[in-house]
């Protein structure tokens, strides 16, 4: 079962774009383009951390607001979750001026009330990756520690949560279930919605899945880290939108999750994913136009997170960081 579209037309787009691109969408499993928008350019960007997962497509909304789109696992989904070049992805988006990222992810549900085809706006993360993914732009010789107590951007989270009704916006495709949009404030009584990020690529055992429930996990995926950490280091406001596709492995009344279940639910709900993405892009475009300060609180934060005296940092390291945060640490 495939969710990919014909990519011939986008390959013929110009390879440069001169305007400012403030917003990016990272598409996960099942979201490989933004079909409601008009593509105007397709950029191949080389970064000091290599090439992104896919070329970046710039599209414009009806009102002319440009949005960058990047397919996390590549246009043909040929990258394992552990192999996604997240540093290159985030650095490339930062390089073209992006200040906010809305990322999409297919997730397993760890709670009965989060049903397959529901959407979830998480507020917290538990890291169950295995330390094999490069998870910082810094390295030996240049040490920094970004704040991560709130792993998602609170302003972006509120804008997203306030603008989609929990019921009624998303369309139901069968009589049993109309999808719900789960948010901390509207549907979860002010309690955090926590995404567990596991290494994969295999799904969890039943025992692991049950353990994550005792930890307060709401949903599980293989993608939110290191993406969210790197966005924070790049001073980009970041929020993930999760689409529930299965009950993972904890539910004894269900077969443990398979890719067929995940893709089946994504396919049935892809119209909702596209509708949601289009609505959120319009909302964020208005926020930027009104100058409500998305990512303003992040600007400059990494300057003060560095532990190493910059006098002692090697030129090559400063040059790399200049690509990401130009002007912060001058290269002499
Ligand atoms: C295809 S099931 C597992 C796969 O799906 C999710 O991908 P994404 O977050 O990019 O939508 C999950 O994180 C796994 O990588
Ligand atoms: N159950 C699950 N575990 C990890 N990642 C997923 N993506 C979709 N369903 C998932």
């Amino acid at each position: 079962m495939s969710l990919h579209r014909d990519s011939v037309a986008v390959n013929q787009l110009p390879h440069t774009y001169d305007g400012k691109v403030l917003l990016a969408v990272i598409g996960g499993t099942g979201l490989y383009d933004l079909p409601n928008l008009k593509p105007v350019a397709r950029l191949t960007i080389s970064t000091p951390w290599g090439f992104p997962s896919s070329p970046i497509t710039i599209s414009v909304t009806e009102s002319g607001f440009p949005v960058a789109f990047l397919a996390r696992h590549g246009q043909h989904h040929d990258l394992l979750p552990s192999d996604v070049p997240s540093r290159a992805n985030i650095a490339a988006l930062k390089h073209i001026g992006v200040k906010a990222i809305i990322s999409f992810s297919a997730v397993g549900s760890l709670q009965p009330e989060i049903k397959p085809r529901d959407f979830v706006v998480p507020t917290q993360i538990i890291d169950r990756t295995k330390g094999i993914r490069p998870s910082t732009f810094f390295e030996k010789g240049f040490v920094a520690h970004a704040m991560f107590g709130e792993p998602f951007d609170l302003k972006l989270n509120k804008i997203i949560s306030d603008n989609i009704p929990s019921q009624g916006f998303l369309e139901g495709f069968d009589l049993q279930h109309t999808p719900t949009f789960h948010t901390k404030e509207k549907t979860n009584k002010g309690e955090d919605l926590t995404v567990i990020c596991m290494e994969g690529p295999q799904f969890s055992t039943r025992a692991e899945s049950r353990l994550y429930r005792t930890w307060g996990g709401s949903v599980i995926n293989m993608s939110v880290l290191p993406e969210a950490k790197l966005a924070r280091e790049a001073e980009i406001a970041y929020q993930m939108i999760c689409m529930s596709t299965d009950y993972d492995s904890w539910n004894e009344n269900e077969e443990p999750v398979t890719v067929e279940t995940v893709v089946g639910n994504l396919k049935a709900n892809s119209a909702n994913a596209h509708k949601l993405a289009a609505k959120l892009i319009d909302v964020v475009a208005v926020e930027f136009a009104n100058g409500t300060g998305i990512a303003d609180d992040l600007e400059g934060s990494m300057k003060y997170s560095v532990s190493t005296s910059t006098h002692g940092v090697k030129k090559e390291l400063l040059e790399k960081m200049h690509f990401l945060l130009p002007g912060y640490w001058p290269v002499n």
Side-chain angles (χ1 to χ4, degrees):
M1 198 183 294
S2 169
L3 288 155
H4 299 267
R5 275 164 225 272
D6 184 5
S7 56
V8 174
V10 281
N11 289 339
Q12 290 160 356
L13 291 167
H15 300 304
T16 56
Y17 184 78
D18 288 337
K20 259 191 174 178
V21 187
L22 298 173
L23 176 65
V25 171
I26 298 182
T29 305
L31 190 69
Y32 302 103
D33 57 7
L34 295 171
N36 311 348
L37 306 192
K38 183 179 162 215
V40 293
R42 191 143 159 96
L43 314 177
T44 300
I45 299 174
S46 171
T47 81
W49 297 276
F51 284 94
S53 303
S54 70
I56 294 171
T57 306
I58 310 295
S59 303
V60 290
T61 63
E62 269 179 27
S63 66
F65 180 76
V67 186
F69 180 85
L70 177 59
R72 178 183 293 121
H73 301 278
Q75 207 60 51
H76 305 288
H77 202 133
D78 51 7
L79 292 168
L80 286 162
S82 312
D83 292 335
V84 171
S86 294
R87 290 187 300 184
N89 289 352
I90 298 295
L93 294 176
K94 175 77 182 184
H95 197 65
I96 59 171
V98 166
K99 284 179 177 263
I101 296 175
I102 300 177
S103 86
F104 282 81
S105 172
V107 300
S109 168
L110 297 169
Q111 300 299 335
E113 70 276 12
I114 301 174
K115 303 203 163 54
R117 304 189 197 175
D118 281 0
F119 287 87
V120 179
V121 191
T123 51
Q124 279 297 328
I125 302 175
I126 293 177
D127 189 356
R128 281 278 300 162
T129 63
K130 300 287 164 88
I132 60 173
R133 308 176 182 194
S135 61
T136 175
F137 289 107
F138 295 88
E139 55 189 279
K140 192 172 171 184
F142 196 14
V143 176
H145 304 279
M147 279 174 73
F148 206 55
E150 292 290 352
F152 297 103
D153 186 78
L154 293 179
K155 197 172 269 178
L156 199 51
N157 182 294
K158 183 161 170 34
I159 292 167
I160 292 169
S161 302
D162 284 353
N163 279 283
I164 309 291
S166 46
Q167 291 277 359
F169 173 75
L170 303 165
E171 284 152 36
F173 294 93
D174 54 45
L175 293 175
Q176 286 104 44
H177 183 54
T178 302
T180 298
F181 191 76
H182 297 264
T183 64
K184 176 175 172 175
E185 298 307 335
K186 285 194 185 161
T187 61
N188 216 37
K189 302 186 182 115
E191 296 289 320
D192 280 312
L193 286 157
T194 300
V195 51
I196 309 271
C197 187
M198 61 176 292
E199 189 61 54
Q202 302 82 359
F203 292 113
S204 307
T205 65
R206 210 182 276 291
E208 287 165 336
S209 193
R210 285 197 200 120
L211 176 68
Y212 302 148
R213 277 168 53 74
T214 69
W215 288 355
S218 311
V219 292
I220 181 163
N221 75 3
M222 306 175 191
S223 305
V224 71
L225 295 176
E227 207 169 82
K229 289 184 173 177
L230 294 165
R232 180 60 53 82
E233 286 188 348
E235 299 182 353
I236 298 175
Y238 176 92
Q239 179 64 53
M240 176 169 269
I241 312 263
C242 299
M243 192 170 101
S244 161
T245 52
D246 53 85
Y247 278 119
D248 200 40
S249 313
W250 58 272
N251 191 340
E252 303 224 356
N253 300 322
E254 306 252 344
E255 280 296 302
V257 53
T258 63
V259 167
E260 208 180 352
T261 314
V262 172
V263 176
N265 275 317
L266 284 173
K267 201 169 175 120
N269 217 15
S270 71
N272 269 338
H274 291 134
K275 184 177 172 181
L276 185 56
K279 164 81 181 171
L280 293 176
I281 290 166
D282 284 342
V283 166
V284 173
V286 170
E287 293 286 332
F288 273 121
N290 293 343
T292 49
I294 297 177
D296 281 2
D297 54 333
L298 292 172
E299 206 168 320
S301 59
M302 288 315 294
K303 246 188 199 170
Y304 307 104
S305 304
V306 169
S307 303
T308 313
S309 147
T310 46
H311 302 296
V313 180
K314 282 193 191 137
K315 196 166 168 258
E316 307 87 84
L317 295 188
L318 292 175
E319 273 165 1
K320 264 171 124 174
M321 293 312 290
H322 186 74
F323 184 92
L324 191 74
L325 296 164
Y328 276 21
W329 304 290
V331 186
N332 295 314

